[in-house]
Amino acid sequence: MKFLSILLLFSCLFPVSAEMVLAENGKAKCRIITAETLTRPSTETLAELKEHLTRMTGAVFETVRESELPSSEDGIYYGDTAFARSHGIDVKKLGREEWVIRSVGNSLVIAGGEPRGTMYGALHFLEKYLGCRWFDYDCIVVPFRNTLRIGGINDQFRPAIPIRIEHISPDIPFWLKTRNMETVGKYGDNFGNPGRCHTSGEYSGNWTDMEMFALQPNGNRSRGQICLTNPKARKAVAEQMIRYIEVDRSGKGRWFPPGVPPGIIYDISQNDARSECYCPGCKAIFEREGSYSGPNVDFVNAVAAEVGKVHPEKLVSTYAYSYTLIPPKNLKCADNVIIQLCTGSVPNPLTSPENRKLLEKWRSIVKHLGIWVYWKEYQPYEYPYTQLNSLQKEIQLCRDAEVMCFFSDDTGPDVYRQPFYAVTRWMTQKLLVNPDLDSDKLFDDFAGHYYGKAAPLLKKYKDFIIQRQIIVPGGGIGPYRESLSMLNLDFFTAADKILRDAEELTKNDPRANLHVRRERIPFDEALLNRWKILGQNIPFDREAVIARYRQNCREVYDSMFNPKNKDSRIKQMEMRIKGFRTNPPPLPKIFEGADVIDMLWNAFDPWGFRYETDTFEDPEAAGGVAWRQPDTLKRLDAKKYNRPIHGYPVVFGFYDTGSQGNRGNVSLAENEVPKDEKYHLYKVGTMQLSPNAYLWFHWSSVSQIWLRGVLTGIYLPKVDVYASIKIMGPSYVNGSGKEDYILVDRVILVKHPENEKVPLRPELTPDGFVRIPNQIPAGFIDWNKPRKLNVRNADGKMIGTLDIPLSTMVIQKIELPEAVRKLSPASVEFEGALSQDYSRPPAVRAYNGHAEGSVVKTEENNALKLNVVDYYKDRTGKNHIDCNLYLCVSKDTAFPVSPDTTYRIFLALKGSAKRVWIQANLINEKEGKLVKERYLIQSALPAGAPVKLTSDWQDFYGIFKTGRNTKSAEVSINLWGDEKNMAEKPGDYVLIRDISITP
Ligand SMILES: [Zn+2]
C-alpha cells in the first residue's frame, strides 16, 4: 500500500475561476451546500467551518442541503455532493483522510474520503487559504476581513502518515484542527475496543482455565499474560475480537455510537510486565525464531486468520516491544496484521543505526507497520530537552518506510512541564501530514505568534538546548540523575539570561509573556532538583525560584484542567516543592565514617510519577514523608493469593530485573517486629547497584523503591542495603488505631570498600546474543588478552567456551555461534572476574619525551596520571609543553571500533594543570593504507576548546563518530602550551579515571 502524500494539479483539465467572493462588507455572498449525508466528523466540522467564517467576516453563513436547492446555485459544496460528482470528484476513490478543495466556476468544492477527508479538507481550507492557525489552546489566529475573496484553488492532498496520534490531553477538538488523530467518541477512532495497547489482560480477564495463561519458569501460570500457543487461548481471543468488532459496528458500543465509523484496527498485545510463556510449545517457537516475537507473531497470525474469515477489512494489531522487539527469524506476519514497533526516544531517535535496522527488519516481514516513539523522558523530574532537532528526520523516515500509524508517547505528568510542549506537538502534527514542510519556517511561524517579540530569543534558547544535549551519553538522558551533566551552572546561568530577556521583552504582551514563562517550568524544576549538586555558588534565590515555579504551574493548571484534575495536579506540584526543600536529618550513628548513599522519599521514584499514590506524610519520617502501599493494593483479591493483604510475616527484599534476579529477602515473624509503630532500621542484604534494581516492601511487590536514581552511570558499586521501616496498623499491632501500612522513610546504601572487584555479568538475551553490561569501563579492560566466556545449559553444564574479541568490549553484544545455540544455552559468565583494571601503565607520548604516565591511587579508585616532567625548547630556545596520554590498547595499538558509529566517552578529571584538550584519533583506511586522523570530540565545550581543570573531580562527556572506513580509534588527553600561551609548568599533572567508551 502506498501512502505517499500527493499534491495533484488539474488546472488544465477543469475550468478554474479566478475569484470567488465569500463575503462582502460583513455580508455572506454564498451558502454552504451540503451533501445529502455527512459522517459525524464532517457534521462536527461543518459547524467549525461556519463559526470560523463568521469570526473572520462578521457574516452569517447559511447551510442548505443540496437536494433542497430550488435551482442550481453557486456556493461552497461540502461533502459528497452531486455537484462535486458532476465535476469528476468521486470521494469513493479518495483515501480515508484524503481531501479535495477545488474552485469550480464561482463555487468551491470541499470533499474527501470518509470518515475524515471532508473534515480535514475544511480545516485545511481555513488554514492554508484563509490564514487561520491553531497553535495552542490559547493561541488561535483567525484573521478578520469583512470582505473575503478566494482565488482559484485546486488542491488534493492525503496525509503522509495515515494514522497520526500524539498522546496528548485534554482538548480533542482542538488537536483535530492540527490533524491529530487522537480521536475518540464522535470523531471516530481508528482503534476499536478494547483499546490501543496492553490488551491481553482485557481479553483474558474472565478466563478460568489456567492452562491458557503463560507458564513461568517456576512452574506457575500467571494471570494476565497469555500462553500464545494454547489452542483454547487462541480461539478465545479470536472469538472475543470478533465480538468487539460486532459491538463497535452495531452502534451500541461506547466508543462508536451511530454515525461514527467503527475502528479498523483491533489490538491484542502483551502487558507491560515481563512474563513470557515457557511452555514447550511457546519455547519451541521462541528457540526456532530466536526471539519471543516468534510465538507472538505466530499467535497473532492465528487470531488474524480467524478474524479475517469474518471481517477481512479489519487489521489485527500487536506489539514489537520489550521482549518482543526483535523480529522473528523465519516467520512473516499475515496480511491483515499490523505490528506496532515501539522504539525511538529523545536520546536514541528512530534515525539511529540500531533503530533503522530494527525498522528495516520488521518492514520486510509485515505489510502494515506502526511506530510508537517515546518523546517524553521518563525522568524523576522535568528539565529542558527537546527533540525539535530530530523529529522531522524521524517522520520522514517513517514516511519513506510507509509507516501506517505513528504514535508518540508524550504521556507527561502534565502539559507544559515539558519543554517546548506546544510547539513540539504542533510541529509534529504538521510534519506527520506533510513531512517535507520547512521545519525552520514552521518553528518561526509558531514562535512569531506564540512568543511575540521574544520569538528570536526562544529560538536561541531552543538551539542552545540542542547544542547542549548532544554531548551527554544517552543524550544526557537515561536513568542516571547525576549524569545530566548538561544541567550545570553554566547552563542555568546562560539559559536564565535568555529567559529573563524574553520575559522582559514581552512584559507588555501578557499572552506571549505567559508562553515564555511556561518554559520556566522545566527550567525551574531542573534547577531546584539539582540545587545541591550545583554547589555553593548558585546565583539564584531558592525561595524566589520556588515561588515562580508554583505561580507558573498554577497558571497552567487554572487554565487547563477541570477542578478534579486541577486539585490532583496541585497536590502533586506541592509534593514536588516539598521534595525540593527536603533535607536529610543526621545519619544514624552506625553509619559514621562509612561511604553511604542516603535516599529519602523524594529519591524513591526515579520516574517521579508516584508522589500522589505512594507517599504518606508522617512527621516521624526522616524528611517528613514516607513511602507507603498504593491504594490499588486494597483492590487486590486477597483470596486469590490465599493470604491477607496485611499481616505476618512481614516480608521485604530487593530484586533486580536484570541479571541479578531475586537478591534475597527478609521475613519477620510477629515476635520480631517492634510493636511501638516507630521507624526501625533493617539490613536488607548486599547487592550490586544496577539500573534494574528495586527494593520491595510488601509481599505483593506493589510497593517498590527503585535505586537507579542514585546511579552515577559509571560505578556500579556493591552496597549493603538498609531500610528504615515502620510497621503499623491493627494487622500488625493489636489494638492499633492506625491504618495498616508498611512504611519506608529512608534507604541507606553503604558502599563496600574501594577496589572491591565487582564482577561484570554478561547476559544471555532471548534472541541468542550475549549482552555485555553497558557499564563496562571500556578504557581499562585489558585490551591485549581476549576474554573467555563460559556458556552453560540449564543444568549448569558447560557447553561451550568462547573467546570474546577485544572489540566486543566496545560493541557490547555478540551473537552465539549456531552450534552453541543448538545446545540450549541458559547462562553465560566470564572466566574469572572482569573488573576495572588500573594496573597497567597508560600509553603516554610527549614531544621530546618530557612527560610520564603512571597509575596512582586516589581517594576512591586508582587513576591514570599524566605528569609534565619538563619543558622542551624549540630551535629558537622557546619553551613548549606537548604531552599526550592515550586511551588505547597499547602504546602502538588503538582500540577496535565499528564503522559509522557514534561513541560516547565519559571520564572524570582533575589536576594541578589548568586545562586539557581531549580529542580522538581515528585510524581510517584510505586506499589500502591506515591513516590516523584527528577528530574533535563534541562536548559541552565550544569546538576545540580545552577542559578547565580544578582540584575537584569533574565529569567530561563527549561523543565522536567513526567514518565508513574507520578501523580503530584512540582518545588523547593533551597538555599543551607555548610561550605565548602557557598555563602549565613542569610538575603539573592531570588525573583521569572512570573511563568509559561505549557506542
Ligand atoms: Zn505457552
Side-chain angles (χ1 to χ4, degrees), residues 540-575:
F540 306 105
D541 172 346
R542 190 165 79 165
E543 286 308 311
V545 176
I546 288 176
R548 179 173 68 195
Y549 177 73
R550 179 183 272 131
Q551 188 206 329
N552 289 332
C553 286
R554 282 300 295 259
E555 249 170 310
V556 169
Y557 303 150
D558 286 344
S559 62
M560 300 290 302
F561 296 102
N562 66 37
K564 184 167 162 268
N565 284 341
K566 189 171 115 177
D567 284 352
S568 143
R569 308 280 163 166
I570 291 170
K571 208 172 148 201
Q572 289 174 33
M573 175 194 71
E574 291 300 336
M575 283 309 279

Side-chain angles (χ1 to χ4, degrees), residues 221 227-229 277-279 282:
R221 298 267 175 181
C227 168
L228 297 172
T229 51
C277 182
Y278 289 86
C279 80
C282 291

Side-chain angles (χ1 to χ4, degrees), residues 708-723:
R708 60 164 65 190
V710 300
L711 295 180
T712 61
I714 297 303
Y715 281 127
L716 292 183
K718 206 168 196 175
V719 291
D720 293 334
V721 182
Y722 292 83

